[in-house]
Amino acid sequence: MPSASVLEQKKQIVASVADRINNSVAGVIVDYKGISVADDTALRKELREAGVEYTVVKNTLIRFAIAGTPLEGMSDVLEGTSAIATSAEDYTAAARILNKYAEDHENFKIKAGYLDGEVIDMDKIISLAKLPSRETLLSMVANVFSAPIAGFARAVQAIADKAEAPAEA
């Protein structure tokens, strides 16, 4: 039987993972086996820059963290090597980055994902991964809103230019 200090450490890890999951809008669990240290370092850097927290966690500890929650259905995929990526703000970042990485690395696989506290299937994870980043979406919306205003401003300027032009004799 493990010592009391080991059990306490594990309880703290479970509480930390559960807190991360509860405070995130989206997350993905992956099988990370077969990737090099250099690739893993580059992946972690990209995830960190996108505001995604990525850690390797024992399957049993993830199971305890999601027990009794709507995410308990992800327990089925918790075999082999597992890492969890969670995002507190960006719904697409974890899925987008990890899906791109999985496409480029044969052994790296996405196991499961969740969105707003509900397990989502692989099709939804792939669809989520194909969405542009939050910043890109916001700039697209801003362009849609500014286009009519810019067109109106150009029309007004054309009328003003025409009024100012000297009449030909």
Side-chain angles (χ1 to χ4, degrees):
M1 178 144 169
S3 70
S5 65
V6 171
L7 282 176
E8 188 57 36
Q9 280 181 319
K10 288 183 179 183
K11 285 180 183 177
Q12 289 175 355
I13 293 170
V14 168
S16 172
V17 171
D19 188 49
R20 258 180 63 196
I21 291 171
N22 291 334
N23 292 322
S24 63
V25 294
V28 178
I29 296 177
V30 297
D31 182 350
Y32 65 91
K33 72 176 174 234
I35 63 172
S36 69
V37 172
D39 286 344
D40 186 54
T41 302
L43 174 63
R44 286 174 185 267
K45 180 179 186 279
E46 186 176 357
L47 288 165
R48 192 172 38 254
E49 289 171 352
V52 177
E53 192 173 345
Y54 176 83
T55 52
V56 173
V57 182
K58 290 187 176 218
N59 292 325
T60 306
L61 300 179
I62 296 174
R63 263 191 210 96
F64 281 128
I66 62 175
T69 71
L71 302 179
E72 196 167 17
M74 293 191 305
S75 294
D76 300 345
V77 300
L78 296 174
E79 296 175 358
T81 57
S82 295
I84 186 166
T86 58
S87 177
E89 297 176 3
D90 192 339
Y91 285 87
T92 65
R96 185 179 63 254
I97 294 168
L98 294 170
N99 185 58
K100 182 180 82 173
Y101 194 82
E103 288 173 353
D104 297 338
H105 297 81
E106 186 177 324
N107 293 330
F108 192 89
K109 304 269 188 266
I110 294 176
K111 293 181 175 185
Y114 67 91
L115 191 63
D116 284 333
E118 292 186 26
V119 178
I120 56 175
D121 61 23
M122 286 304 291
D123 291 337
K124 287 183 182 174
I125 294 171
I126 302 300
S127 297
L128 196 61
K130 294 184 189 233
L131 288 174
S133 70
R134 182 176 186 269
E135 291 76 22
T136 304
L137 286 172
L138 288 174
S139 68
M140 291 167 76
V141 168
N143 285 338
V144 167
F145 284 132
S146 68
I149 296 168
F152 177 73
R154 283 191 293 275
V156 169
Q157 186 63 45
I159 292 170
D161 290 346
K162 189 174 186 181
E164 291 176 5
E168 291 184 27

